[in-house]
Amino acid sequence: MVKKVICLIAICLFFSCNDSNDSADCSAVICAPSENTVFIRFLDSETEENLLDNYTILSETIQIMDIESKEVTPIIGETPNFGKLLAFTVSTDTYGDKSYTISFDGGDPFTIEFFSEYRGGGCCGVYTVIDGVEISTYTHEYSQRDTLPLEVTLYID
């Protein structure tokens, strides 16, 4: 009987061991999709009214230029909780210093700058890590995550 138990234990150990390459089992992990986007809400500094919703800022007058003076396509989206917002995609062709100058009719241009780097591997794939976020001209708040997307609220005088 003892031999059968020892044999059974040996068989269980044999089948429980594998020649794994120490990769993680990601089957039970739920990952957020990576999104290389900056979202900007424009609010009145006194009333906090959305300036895209009330057409104080006209979406067709918004222009975005990157660090190389190339135009970046603005996207106007709308959310049920926050109303209209500006979005644009951050290029991942290269990583490093990123700078975007945004201008619109009736307001002063402002700049959003940060450092970006590639983060890959693990269960959830590729993300763009950001650091050193700086925003000029207007009072602002922004998300405190270390990856994109970056969510910015500007308070316009």
Side-chain angles (χ1 to χ4, degrees):
M1 179 72 173
V2 172
K3 286 183 180 183
K4 288 182 181 180
V5 171
I6 291 174
C7 186
L8 184 60
I9 291 172
I11 290 172
C12 288
L13 284 173
F14 176 77
F15 283 110
S16 67
C17 296
N18 62 27
D19 58 349
S20 153
N21 61 1
D22 291 332
S23 61
D25 176 14
C26 296
S27 63
V29 177
I30 299 173
C31 297
S34 65
E35 188 170 3
N36 294 318
T37 308
V38 174
F39 297 98
I40 304 171
R41 292 186 334 149
F42 296 89
L43 300 183
D44 181 282
S45 62
E46 292 179 14
T47 66
E48 295 195 9
E49 186 175 3
N50 186 317
L51 299 178
L52 287 170
D53 282 345
N54 71 11
Y55 301 101
T56 299
I57 296 175
L58 300 174
S59 59
E60 58 269 10
T61 69
I62 297 172
Q63 185 178 30
I64 305 169
M65 304 298 279
D66 70 11
I67 198 167
E68 298 170 347
S69 298
K70 293 180 185 170
E71 191 165 354
V72 176
T73 304
I75 302 162
I76 302 298
E78 189 163 358
T79 65
N81 295 336
F82 300 115
K84 290 183 183 174
L85 48 81
L86 169 69
F88 63 90
T89 302
V90 174
S91 171
T92 55
D93 292 342
T94 60
Y95 293 92
D97 291 326
K98 300 287 185 178
S99 179
Y100 298 92
T101 300
I102 300 147
S103 59
F104 56 93
D105 284 355
D108 296 324
F110 64 96
T111 303
I112 297 177
E113 298 176 322
F114 53 87
F115 181 80
S116 69
E117 65 182 304
Y118 171 87
R119 180 189 292 166
C123 290
C124 290
V126 176
Y127 290 98
T128 301
V129 177
I130 60 172
D131 188 34
V133 176
E134 293 187 23
I135 303 168
S136 70
T137 309
Y138 297 105
T139 303
H140 58 272
E141 298 173 349
Y142 64 89
S143 55
Q144 298 292 322
R145 290 188 300 270
D146 66 344
T147 60
L148 288 174
L150 175 62
E151 298 160 356
V152 177
T153 300
L154 294 178
Y155 297 96
I156 311 293
D157 298 329

